[in-house]
Structure formats: structure tokens, C-alpha cells
Amino acid sequence: MAPLAVSQAAFLLALLFLRTFQNEVLSEHSPLIPESLNISINSKQQCLHLQWHVHNLTYHQELKMVFQIEISRIKTSNIIWVGNYNTTVKWNQVLHWTWESELPLECVMHFVRIRSVVNDARTPGPRAWSNWSPWTEVDAQSSLGRGSLLVFPKDKLVEEGSNVTICYISRSHENNISCYVNDERIHGEPLDLNVFTFHLSNVPFIRKSGTNIYCDMNNTISGIVLYVSKVLEEPKGFSCETRDFKTLNCTWDPGNDVDLLRHPPPNYTLSESFSGQKKICKHKNWCNWQVSQDSQETYNFTLTAENSFRKRRVNILFNLAHRVHPSVFNIDLESKGATNATVTWMVHPIGDHFKFLCQVELHGEGKVIQSNVSTKAPGQFSFSELEPVTEYLARVRCAVANHFWKWSEWSSRNFSTLEAAPRKAPDVWRTVKSMLGSCNVTLFWKPLSKSHAGGKILFYNVVTENLDKPSSVELSSIPAPANGTSLTLDRCPHHIHVMANNSVGTSPASVIGISGDPENEEVEEERVQDTKDGINLSWKPLSGDVIGYVVAWCDRPWNLSCDLQWKKLGPNTTSTVISSDAFRPGVRYYFKIYGISLERMAQLLGRKTGYSEERPPSDNPRVFISNQTAQSFTLNWKGYSTDSQPGFIRGYHVYLRYKAKQCHPGFNKAFLSEAVCLGTTDDSVCCKYNIDDPEQKSFVVENLKPKSSYEFLVTSYTSVDEGPWESFSKITTPDEHFHVLVRVLLPMVFCLLLIAVLCYLKSQWMKETCFPDIPDPYKSSILSLLKPKSPHLTILNVNDCVLDALEVVNKPEGSKTQFIGARKSLPDNDSTKLDYIYVLPGEKNHTGRGPCVCFENLTYNQAESDPGPCGHASVLHKASPSPLGLLTSPEYLLKSLDQSYTHAPGEIPAGEAFLNYVSQLASPISGDKEGLLTNPAEPELCSEYRMQMAVPLGFASPSPSENSNLSFITLLGQGEHAH
């Protein structure tokens, strides 16, 4: 049986060898062709996944092979990609390979085929490619739906800076399609029938919600959202530490925020190489790691950040004892007073062998006090020299002193110190006003600072001590917050004590002395100059022992309240610089310097005045001209005030502008560039004279030309600049003989005016004496006694009154008369003068009344041709038995009054016509009344008022043929009178 068994075993071995040899031979002559190619589409990632396997491999056989893959688009001949895939193939193994397409797979159809070649060194013989597998069609459009306009890819995720290809498919054969990226139009190119592609390069990150891309076809809109992620950065600041030796807290800075909507954030993984442990972190910037209990001291961590595009790694190696971060808590105030306090704190326990370095800070009053202390837990620290009634903040942080890693977080506590008595005397000053038998003292004191007050000041005690009567002491309390009071003291010297009080105690007393003597007013005022730091003051030291000096001034000298300020200086100080935030440029300030004796008495040492900053004068002098001659005139500005200017007046500039080529002696030619000389013509010159004495307020301009025009301007100036530029005033010099003419003509004119006034006064006297004013009948009181029937009647009828007397006035000799009717001149008897009485009739309808009598006053006469209101006729003087001779018709006389008559120049010889005044009342004024009324048959006579007017002695009368009668006229001889 044994040989049989051996023979069987040998046979089986030979058979196995032959089978293996046969397979190798077959494999050499039969190429390994990829079979069962299967392709799937991943639309989200735009990938093609290929699966296949290789037959003809023996069991447990492994061969290294190369697979060549071709991919075509639209049609099989349009190959767009060719690549090789190297791998080791096993028996019955399914092979996988993925291809990512730049163009969305939904846009067009794709085709894939594959072939292989053995690339194994164990296989002898030549290596040849197998045959291509059949083309496998990949069609993603079959599942697109029925939309007429489609845009791809859908919800694609790319990294910032990538290139992206977009396509749209139109099923309606429309060409009017516009595509946009965030409302910005883009242009593409055709790829296939009704398929257009768009290439976007270096796409940017815009927002977490993605970038909108859409196409518009006749208001049919279709679009996609392209998600652009920022580039994943390497984590920064990766660090790990422990607070209690139980947990490690690792932190890092993830860098750019790469989180996007609808896409998962990056993954962070923490792994430790010594222990081989790994942990996926739930947070993107920190992660906790449990400390191992096997007393591991050294750790090597690797932090991995990964997203869809990149993977970043950082690592750290450290000793656990060197990464301890303590924690301070429970800070408390153990004790406190007005000027001190003690704080305590706790630290989380991490072992008895650790010592801490702690930093303590105190914040208060704008200051920070910092101290370092080395201690074990718990710790404490005491503060001293604190301010009373002050808010403070104490805070503490600690670190391990053995191996310093980092400070803990600050732990803080607020507290306030207690109140204390005031520690400093108030700063006191005074003003003294002397009165009759007493003096008025006004005290001022500055509020104590918070550090010196020790708390809230409640009131001030003011104690007045009479030095001549030490027992005479007066106490007064001034409630806070008052900063002064007024006292009335006699002429005796006094000491005044001022003390501040709060709820704890009283401050030291501030003592000031009042001598009772008036202040020395003979101290002269000096000017001081300003500097960039303030107003510089200096003085001579007071003879004898002094305890100090005081400089007093007003911050607001323009205000009634003044705002008195003072500065106290030591006994060895003789100069200081005064500065104040209240100082204004251009305001003059006044300073008084006092020396304080050992008896606390103040003595005035000096008066100073100055500006914190000088300015140019605010106005120029108002100039008046005097003593003007042909060669000179004087400019005066006496009323110009220099104290009210915004700077010390150093002098004046006198500008003179006139037509000339050179300036007068003493003047300098001003530059035309100076604004004050603008407007100077080419034939004119602008000259300037400098007056450096501010008290000189007049100037004589000499060497002028007669009958010439000059323009002048006077400006004041300070150390900064001169006053404002104003317009020039113009003056013209008179003729050189003008003053002589004035001296002669003025007396002559005065004499002529005096003579004219005297002549006028003389004529007025003559008129009032010899020719008094004639009464106006319309203003006579007789009219008020009458009651005329007609409202327009203003003439007094004869019937209304009775004649008392009639006086006849003689006619001048040599006059000629003319009969009214005949118009002939009658010779006058040289020895006879004619007297006239004219009788006018009354109204026609008043029958039974006698004629009116008019009296002609021959005192006034005038060559006048116009008839008067009382018509009259002159006739020859002849004897008549009756006093009433020739009668004239009343109708004729009245008619003569209503008509205008003219006569030839020869009818009344020149010089023989007389203007006779007709009396207002024709009545007898002298003689016997009865002589006139001897005939009772005569009509009753009456007087009549007439207007004041001129009546000639003769005038033209109507012809005798007219149906008219004359009223009776009586001609009386010279010397005859009717009574």
C-alpha cells in the first residue's frame, strides 16, 4: 500500500505542475482584457465612477497591470481625456476608478472605454495592450426633467480662486438667452445644439449663502447657486495647558471662516502619538483632553483640519508640568482705614510643591499702583498711603513661579477708604478797602483738594483777633461750599484765622494779617512781556525778614466778579511765571505783588500789567485837523485811549499820500505791497512817518504845496502789528494869500452886516412912528354888532349908523382936476385947495334912505388908474347956498365900481394923479354936527365901511348921455369944515 500511495502523490504533483504550466502559457498568449465595465454618475461632485474586473486570472494570482482609459464627449471620436491607472490586480477583484469632469456631466453625453497591459516583472515576454473594451455611453440628460431652460451644475462647491465651467441647455431653440453672475452679465460659447458654456476664472468668495448664477429666456429664469469656500488655513496658536492636572485644554485659531450654508464645516481631529489616542473635536477652536492616570509627563499632539478640498496639520510637544495655568478666586478685603487696606485671595489647588508669583494692582484717582509678591495659596497684600474717602479697585493675578507659563485672569474687588480730618490749612487771601475809621476786608479761600480735605467739608471757622486787644476774639462759621466772606474791622491790626471742618475734625489754621493802614498807592505800575509759558513777573526782595510773597490778579478783569486768583511763593523767590487757562489773548491783566512779613502782614511791593498774548490794535485814532495853512496842517488824536487796546501801544504810523516822486524829510517811502498803500498810482508816492512815543498824539505835516491835495492816515501799532487798514482822509491846502484875504474880508463883511442890521432897525422904527399900520375893517369889532340880511354882506350901510362929525382934508396945491362927465382939466387956484366929500347911494330897493357918505383921506396918494370902491368926481369949486353942491347920480357911481374903465395917458397928467385913502368910516370927527343937518328936508346921511384901497383923484367916467345921475358932492374951500 505504501508504494501505491507514493505513486499517487507523485501523479498528483505532476498533474498540478502541468496545470500551472498550461495556465502560464495561456496567459502569455491570451491578454487580460477588462470586462464588465460599469459607470455611475455623481452629479453633486461631477464625477464618473468606473467599476470593472479582469478575467483569466488564476486563483491567488496577483499581477501588476496598467489600465488606459479614454473619455470622449458628444461623440466617440471627440476624445477629451486619456489617462493610465496603475494597480495590482487579484483574482476575482473589482477595480474602481473616479474621473472628475470640469464640464457638468448633464450638459452633453460622454463615452468611456478601457484597455490594459501586464506590467509585472514576473511575467516574461513582450508586453502588449489588450483590445479596447466597447464604448460605454454615459447619458446624464435622461433624468433632467421637462424644463425648457436648464442650468448646471447644481449646488456645486468649489474653493476660492478655482475655475468653474457653467452650461445651460435650451429645449425651445431660442437664441435670446442672457446669463448673469450676481446681476453681472456673462458671455459664453456654444458647445452643442442648444448648449452654451461659460468659463469663470478665479471665482471669489462673496457670501456664505453662495453666488447666484441664472439665465433669462423671455422672462423664463433658471439658475443655480455656486458655493465658494475660503481656502482652509493651517490652525494658528495651537497650545495646550492644564489648571488642575486632570484636564488639558487645547486651543487654536482656525483662521478664515470657511463655513458655508448647506455644506458641512471643516473637521478637526486631535491625536496624541505616545498614547496612540485620537479625538474628534466638536468645536472649531478648542478641545479638551483627559490627562492619563499613568503619570504621563510628556505629550505630543497633532491637530488635523480637513474639508472637501484640503487637509492641514500642526503638532506640539510639551511637558505637562510646564503648562500649568492657575486660577485666582475669592479676592476679599480683610481690613481698611482712612489711608490703608489689606486684600486676600485664593488659588485653585494644584499641589503643595508649587509656589506662585502674584501681581497686585490698585486703581484709584487716575493712578495705578502695581506690586509683585511671591506666595503660596492663599495670598494677601497690604496697601498704605491711601487717600481718605476714595474709591479704589484692587485686582490680583498669579502664575506658577517654578515654570512660568502664563498669568491667570484678573480677579478684582472694589472698596472705599474711610474719612479723616483735613490735613492742610486752607489757602487764604484777602482784599482790603479803607473807609472812614474802618476797613472792609473780603476773605477768599481755595477749596481743599480731595486728598487734603479728608472727607466732605461741612463749614469753615473764621476767627478774628484784635492784636491791640488780645482778649477781643470773634468767631463766625461759614457753611460750605462758600469760598469767602466779608468783615468790617477797625483801624487796629488784626489776625484772621481760617479753618476747614468735616465730620471727623478740623484742619490746621491759615493765618493772615491785616495791618489797618491803607495800601501804598504810590507804587508805580510797570509793563511786563508775555512769553510762551505765560506772563513773566519779577520784583525786588522785601528788606527784612519775610515768610513769602503773594502775587494776586483777576482772571476775568472785564467782569465785575473779577475771579480773584493768587499764587503764594517762598521767601527766596523773586520771580515767577503766571499762566492760567482763563487767560485770553488781547486782554490786559493787572498783577499786585505783596511781601509777607513775620507778623503775617502784607506789604505792596509792585504793580505789573501785561498781556498773555498781544494783538494788533482794534481801532485807529480818530484824527482832527487844526492850524491848516498853505504849507502845513496839524493832525490831532488827543482822545485816543491806549489802555483799552489789545496790546501795548508802542507808537503811531502817519501815512501821507500825494502826487510827487519823493517823500518829505522825515518820511520814509512805504512799499506798495503794504495793504495800507494799495491804490497808489504811478505818479503818486505813499510815505510813512514813525512816531515811537505813544504819548505823542499830535503831528505837524510841513513842507506842503499851496492848493494841493493830500491824503493821510494815522494808525497805531503794538509789538505784533499795526491797526486795521482804513481808507485815507483827503485834505486840500489853501492858497498862500488866502489867509490875508480872510483877515481883510471878514471885518468888512462884519461891518456891512452890522450896518444892514442898523438900517433895518431904523426903518422899522420910522414905519412904526410915522406910518402906523391901518386897521383892517374885516377885523373890526363893529361887524360883530351888525346882523346883515345877506350872509355875504361885509359892508356897513349908512342907514345902520349916524354920522357924528366930518372933517375935510385939504387937497395939495397945484393939483389938477377933471370933471367926470366932460373929462377936461380945470385950472386950480393956487390959493385954493379942494376938499372932497363923496356921497354914494345905498341899495336901490331901499327907498327913503339918504346917500352914503365916503370920506377921502388925502394923506396917501399914488399914480393909479384903477377906480376905488368909492367912486368920486372932482368939480370946480364954486359958491353954493347949500353945503351940498353938485350932485352925482348914485347909479353912475355904483356902475363905475362894477366896470373896468380905462383912460388915455393924457387924461390925467403924469404926476397929478393921487392915490387917496378912503376912510373906513366916513363920519364927522370934528366941528358942529348941527351945521351939517340944518336942512331937515335932506335925506338922512349914513356912514359906510369900505375896504382899504387906493383911489385916484380923477378917473374916466361914462359919457353924459348915459342915463345916470350924480350923487351930491360938496366942494369946500380951503379951511372950511363941515360939521
Side-chain angles (χ1 to χ4, degrees), residues 798-799 839-842 849-853 884 890 939-943 967-968:
V798 180
N799 296 335
V839 181
L840 298 178
R849 290 190 178 186
C852 294
V853 179
L884 302 174
E940 184 181 0
L941 298 176
C942 67
S943 63
S967 299
F968 58 90

Side-chain angles (χ1 to χ4, degrees), residues 91-207:
W91 177 74
N92 205 23
Q93 179 183 359
V94 177
L95 301 175
H96 300 271
W97 182 80
T98 301
W99 176 74
E100 183 177 359
S101 173
E102 295 180 356
L103 179 71
L105 298 175
E106 294 86 353
C107 296
V108 292
M109 186 177 296
H110 291 78
F111 301 91
V112 181
R113 67 178 181 176
I114 188 171
R115 66 179 179 175
S116 64
V117 63
V118 177
N119 189 24
D120 199 326
R122 295 172 297 175
T123 304
R127 296 178 175 82
W129 289 101
S130 67
N131 295 328
W132 287 102
S133 66
W135 287 101
T136 303
E137 180 181 307
V138 181
D139 186 8
Q141 295 183 350
S142 59
S143 59
L144 298 182
R146 298 182 179 181
S148 60
L149 181 64
L150 302 173
V151 182
F152 298 99
K154 300 289 187 181
D155 299 334
K156 184 175 180 63
L157 175 65
V158 296
E159 193 176 43
E160 184 179 21
S162 303
N163 299 328
V164 180
T165 301
I166 309 296
C167 76
Y168 75 81
I169 301 173
S170 174
R171 295 176 176 176
S172 60
H173 305 287
E174 288 285 345
N175 295 325
N176 188 18
I177 301 176
S178 301
C179 295
Y180 303 88
V181 175
N182 284 331
D183 299 330
E184 182 178 352
R185 187 170 181 178
I186 56 177
H187 301 278
E189 57 185 11
L191 180 63
D192 195 7
L193 185 64
N194 298 329
V195 177
F196 270 74
T197 60
F198 304 89
H199 300 282
L200 304 181
S201 301
N202 195 20
V203 291
F205 171 82
I206 298 178
R207 59 178 89 80

Side-chain angles (χ1 to χ4, degrees), residues 817-836:
T817 61
Q818 181 180 0
F819 187 72
I820 298 174
R823 299 184 182 182
K824 294 180 180 180
S825 300
L826 299 179
D828 293 337
N829 190 357
D830 296 338
S831 62
T832 304
K833 296 182 179 178
L834 297 180
D835 300 332
Y836 302 92

